[in-house]
Amino acid sequence: MSKDEEPKKEVTPRLTIPISGPLDRKRNSWDEPKPFDELPPEVQAMLLRRAEQREKGRGTLEILEGKHVMSCLLFIEEKEPVLKSDIYNNISRSAGMVEKINELCGLGLINIYETARTHSNVIVLTDKGHRTVSAIRHLISIAEDTVGTIR
C-alpha cells in the first residue's frame, strides 16, 4: 500500500425509518370507525357524559384553579377599582385572560362596567367576590403557617 492510497473502510448498511406511511401493518381507526351503536355500553355512557360536560362548561372549581385566577382576584381586591388593561399589564397578557375575567363575572365574583367616554372596562369585586378573596387569603394564611404542622 502506498502513501497516497487510503485504507478502505467497511460500509455498514443503514437502518431507515419511513417518513410517511405506517410503521407496521396496523389499521387506522379513522379509516373504519365503529358506529356508536356497536360500542360497548360503558364506552357509550362515558362518551355521553363527556358530551354533557362539554355542554355545561367549566365548573366553579375548574375556574378558580385556573392559572392566574386567584392572583387576579387578589389584585382586584388590592387595587379596586381596576381597569381590565391593568389586569393584562400586571397579571397576564395571555389570550385566555379575557375568558377568565368573563367567567369570574359569570360566577358573580366581579362586575365589569364599561365607561361611556373612554370605552374602558372598570372591574370591581362584588360582595360575593370580597367573601371569596377573604377565603383565599385565609387559605394562604393556613398554608403559610408552619407552627405545629410538623409531625
Side-chain angles (χ1 to χ4, degrees):
M1 189 187 283
S2 68
K3 288 182 177 179
D4 296 333
E5 291 180 32
E6 291 184 20
K8 290 186 178 182
K9 296 180 182 176
E10 286 188 38
V11 178
T12 57
R14 290 186 180 179
L15 297 175
T16 60
I17 298 174
I19 293 175
S20 62
L23 294 177
D24 53 21
R25 303 213 184 276
K26 290 182 180 176
R27 292 182 307 147
N28 188 341
S29 63
W30 291 104
D31 293 339
E32 299 174 25
K34 287 191 178 228
F36 183 79
D37 297 337
E38 292 180 18
L39 296 172
E42 61 273 8
V43 174
Q44 289 180 5
M46 184 268 305
L47 291 173
L48 290 173
R49 281 192 309 272
R50 288 185 65 181
E52 288 173 9
Q53 186 65 27
R54 267 194 307 267
E55 288 175 10
K56 276 197 255 179
R58 296 178 351 133
T60 303
L61 181 61
E62 291 172 312
I63 292 169
L64 290 176
E65 69 185 4
K67 190 172 185 179
H68 302 301
V69 172
M70 289 191 202
S71 298
C72 182
L73 287 169
L74 293 168
F75 177 79
I76 294 169
E77 187 220 19
E78 183 181 323
K79 306 282 187 184
E80 80 176 319
V82 299
L83 296 174
K84 226 185 217 187
S85 59
D86 292 336
I87 294 172
Y88 301 141
N89 290 332
N90 292 289
I91 303 297
S92 174
R93 293 178 186 263
S94 72
M97 283 305 290
V98 174
E99 182 182 350
K100 290 174 186 181
I101 290 170
N102 290 335
E103 287 175 331
L104 290 174
C105 188
L107 287 175
L109 300 179
I110 62 172
N111 283 327
I112 304 171
Y113 300 101
E114 186 174 340
T115 61
R117 283 190 178 162
T118 61
H119 298 289
S120 299
N121 290 305
V122 178
I123 298 175
V124 296
L125 288 174
T126 61
D127 290 337
K128 184 178 178 182
H130 281 288
R131 291 192 314 269
T132 302
V133 170
S134 176
I136 292 169
R137 289 200 185 282
H138 182 70
L139 288 173
I140 292 170
S141 70
I142 291 170
E144 289 179 343
D145 183 19
T146 57
V147 178
T149 59
I150 300 173
R151 291 183 181 207

